[in-house]
Amino acid sequence: MLIDSHCHLDRLAEDANPESLRPVVERARAAGVKEMLCVSVSQKGYEPMRRAAEPFEEVVFSCGVHPLDIKEGFDQGWLRQHAQDARVVAVGETGLDYYYSKDNIADQQRAFAEHIEVARELDKPVIVHTRDARTDTLEILRDGQGVEGVLHCFTENWAMAKGALDLGLYISISGIVTFRNAEMLRDVVRQLPMDRLLVETDSPYLAPVPYRGKQNQPAYVREVAQYVADLKHCSYDELCRQTAENYRRLFRR
């Protein structure tokens, strides 16, 4: 059972039109993808995201505001209201990004902590984005007192991965692992325990080899899974089985 644990289907749709997404979903089905987690990044984009992907039964959702989008608005009450939806399986994408934005670090940290608070209230995991903020990310997660979640599209070092694993979190690997200059990430993947591993596309971004430079889509999670299986010296079927089990455990599927 192959699952894309993180994608942005609304970015592949035209004007939030579900029919424009149908070929994307059908290609994913043909590739063996059984479920896709469509991830929210902003308040204003949440409803269009839902409209675009709502008709497809293999799609579930998250609700949250990306650290680079909180400047456009973030209200914890809005998050609490929408994250209660039964089809919303996670809170986020939230976290910290000091690589692209250092002028609102305090706001990022506050929003991250408020996402975690809602996740704990609703007993749902958080989807975490982190870049150039290793220490603060782990500290805020530690303050979350056992909140469950995943560091998505992981690109950090083994020390960061180990810190997250020690907090009970999962690590999700995207097509970046196939890039020529991603040897540090490949070394991390080799060390990751199989029972904490997820795979994703983060589509429409970061298409894996051999599609690099093209628009990414959930069907290409197959290439990510095969590459990770080779790094882990296991079969493709075993990698799919284990990552699907991990996904179901984390997101209560």
Side-chain angles (χ1 to χ4, degrees):
M1 182 177 182
L2 182 57
I3 295 171
D4 185 355
S5 69
H6 191 113
C7 60
H8 302 280
L9 289 172
D10 51 311
R11 304 293 173 94
L12 291 162
E14 298 176 8
D15 299 322
N17 180 1
E19 285 308 305
S20 68
L21 265 185
R22 192 167 300 280
V24 173
V25 174
E26 289 177 351
R27 282 192 290 271
R29 289 170 180 162
V33 180
K34 301 300 184 184
E35 187 159 304
M36 292 159 268
L37 174 45
C38 187
V39 176
S40 166
V41 295
S42 70
Q43 285 193 197
K44 71 177 183 179
Y46 178 75
E47 290 299 336
M49 178 191 78
R50 289 294 300 255
R51 287 197 301 273
E54 193 87 39
F56 304 103
E57 62 181 11
E58 57 266 82
V59 177
V60 292
F61 300 95
S62 76
C63 182
V65 179
H66 191 285
L68 297 179
D69 289 274
I70 60 171
K71 294 177 182 180
E72 298 179 8
F74 169 65
D75 177 72
Q76 192 186 36
W78 169 89
L79 175 66
R80 184 175 287 106
Q81 174 188 349
H82 290 281
Q84 294 182 57
D85 188 298
R87 204 164 164 187
V88 170
V89 300
V91 173
E93 169 177 1
T94 182
L96 305 174
D97 194 316
Y98 299 169
Y99 181 83
Y100 283 113
S101 183
K102 293 184 178 178
D103 62 347
N104 67 336
I105 286 176
D107 289 340
Q108 289 188 47
Q109 293 176 349
R110 180 169 56 253
F112 187 18
E114 290 182 0
H115 277 79
I116 290 173
E117 182 180 354
V118 171
R120 292 187 63 211
E121 288 176 10
L122 301 181
D123 191 29
K124 295 185 178 183
V126 289
I127 298 172
V128 180
H129 168 101
T130 180
R131 191 164 184 189
D132 282 7
R134 295 170 181 171
T135 300
D136 288 350
T137 297
L138 291 176
E139 182 177 339
I140 291 172
L141 285 166
R142 193 174 295 113
D143 289 344
Q145 299 178 4
V147 68
E148 294 183 275
V150 56
L151 300 192
H152 103 93
C153 193
F154 192 83
T155 57
E156 304 290 342
N157 60 17
W158 172 245
M160 176 70 170
K162 181 66 165 54
L165 294 169
D166 288 346
L167 292 173
L169 299 168
Y170 292 69
I171 305 290
S172 184
I173 303 301
S174 73
I176 291 175
V177 74
T178 71
F179 295 0
R180 182 170 54 85
N181 62 349
E183 189 53 43
M184 183 183 75
L185 177 57
R186 286 188 281 273
D187 183 60
V188 169
V189 171
R190 292 183 186 103
Q191 298 179 73
L192 287 175
M194 287 285 284
D195 64 352
R196 298 288 190 84
L197 177 63
L198 300 175
V199 289
E200 65 173 84
T201 60
D202 203 14
S203 57
Y205 317 106
L206 305 172
V209 174
Y211 304 105
R212 191 172 182 188
K214 299 180 180 179
Q215 187 180 65
N216 202 1
Q217 55 183 280
Y220 299 162
V221 74
R222 186 179 184 92
E223 278 68 31
V224 179
Q226 182 63 70
Y227 198 95
V228 172
D230 292 343
L231 288 174
K232 302 296 285 181
H233 301 292
C234 68
S235 71
Y236 172 80
D237 288 344
E238 171 61 17
L239 192 285
C240 291
R241 185 199 65 76
Q242 183 65 63
T243 54
E245 181 180 312
N246 298 343
Y247 172 89
R248 290 194 296 266
R249 184 188 317 118
L250 177 61
F251 295 108
R252 284 80 154 150
R253 300 296 299 150

